[in-house]
Amino acid sequence: MNKIISNVLNELEIQSNLEKNRMVDINPEDRMLAITKETGELLNMILRLKNAKNMLEIGMSVGYSTIWCAEAILENSGKITTIERNRNKIERARKNFQKANVGKAIDIKEGNAMEILKNIRNKKENFDLVLIDADKENTKKYFDLILPMVPVGGVIITDNMLYPEKYREDMKKFSDYIKKNDSLRTITSPIGFGEEITIKIR
Ligand SMILES: C[S@@+](CC[C@H](N)C(=O)[O-])C[C@H]1O[C@@H](n2cnc3c(N)ncnc32)[C@H](O)[C@@H]1O
């Protein structure tokens, strides 16, 4: 990986740990809540395996996951559409993208994910990979909205299937819901905070 991008990712990992361990004074709603490094590696590998050109992210925060994905998708001159409602985080993300020199691959949509997804749906866009990582209560609604935007062979990754534990029961119900759909294959992987990896097979 190029040094500039890996330096920015390292800095963000340090910042994320400081926030997690309450070693910096930051409003709870401004905390990064980033995916783990291993999840970043997983997303990056799937994007490469698929030669992905078009990705959607629900829940950008300050852009840690987005940079992991941009590093792969830029090789295909691809694009990431990413959604975030917190203005402070969007400002931080913009600076991080600039520092990592990945901004050209990223289209930030500011606002409420549900409304933005409905707008995107009307434009009939398709996404090779979708990352769902926003407000956990709405995970199933986001999944239902994006499923028609994913072509056969497309992948949906959902974070926080196993951790924090308070979400685990609802996330298990979500996984069971996906399993009932014949057009999908899904697995709950113990990578990171637990990643649901779902593929549309028909
Ligand atoms: C877990 S964090 C995302 C972390 C990011 N994917 C990463 O790994 O770096 C979830 C983010 O979703 C945003 N969010 C939560 N609910 C949202 C909503 N309804 N619409 C838009 N953004 C939302 C939060 O502000 C927060 O920054």
Side-chain angles (χ1 to χ4, degrees), residues 86-102:
N86 177 318
R87 207 159 264 182
N88 289 337
K89 288 183 169 185
I90 292 175
E91 262 176 50
R92 285 168 70 190
R94 282 216 169 91
K95 287 184 190 146
N96 291 328
F97 298 156
Q98 205 175 1
K99 262 204 232 170
N101 196 21
V102 295

Side-chain angles (χ1 to χ4, degrees), residues 19-118:
E19 290 182 13
K20 227 181 266 167
N21 298 319
R22 311 285 190 269
M23 291 166 82
V24 281
D25 191 20
I26 187 159
N27 285 332
E29 69 270 19
D30 288 333
R31 285 195 194 118
M32 285 173 64
L33 309 172
I35 56 164
T36 67
K37 181 178 182 188
E38 291 71 28
T39 299
E41 286 167 337
L42 172 75
L43 288 163
N44 188 289
M45 284 176 79
I46 296 174
L47 287 163
R48 285 174 185 280
L49 283 168
K50 286 197 58 55
N51 285 319
K53 286 202 163 38
N54 211 7
M55 168 178 174
L56 172 67
E57 175 178 61
I58 310 169
M60 169 185 74
S61 186
V62 306
Y64 177 75
S65 49
T66 327
I67 294 172
W68 264 113
C69 295
E71 199 270 338
I73 216 160
L74 270 167
E75 306 242 331
N76 268 328
S77 309
K79 187 189 105 182
I80 304 173
T81 302
T82 181
I83 305 173
E84 176 56 56
R85 68 178 171 194
N86 177 318
R87 207 159 264 182
N88 289 337
K89 288 183 169 185
I90 292 175
E91 262 176 50
R92 285 168 70 190
R94 282 216 169 91
K95 287 184 190 146
N96 291 328
F97 298 156
Q98 205 175 1
K99 262 204 232 170
N101 196 21
V102 295
K104 62 175 177 289
I106 301 163
D107 178 15
I108 303 173
K109 305 277 187 208
E110 178 179 346
N112 184 276
M114 208 68 81
E115 282 156 31
I116 292 171
L117 286 176
K118 285 176 187 163

Side-chain angles (χ1 to χ4, degrees), residues 105-157:
I106 301 163
D107 178 15
I108 303 173
K109 305 277 187 208
E110 178 179 346
N112 184 276
M114 208 68 81
E115 282 156 31
I116 292 171
L117 286 176
K118 285 176 187 163
N119 282 338
I120 294 176
R121 179 182 58 185
N122 294 340
K123 291 186 187 138
K124 303 209 181 315
E125 256 189 275
N126 266 359
F127 299 99
D128 308 306
L129 186 141
V130 180
L131 171 64
I132 305 179
D133 188 21
D135 42 343
K136 305 300 152 185
E137 322 70 76
N138 282 320
T139 298
K140 180 173 169 292
K141 285 189 187 154
Y142 295 144
F143 186 89
D144 289 341
L145 263 171
I146 54 124
L147 193 54
M149 306 179 208
V150 174
V152 171
V155 179
I156 302 167
I157 307 283

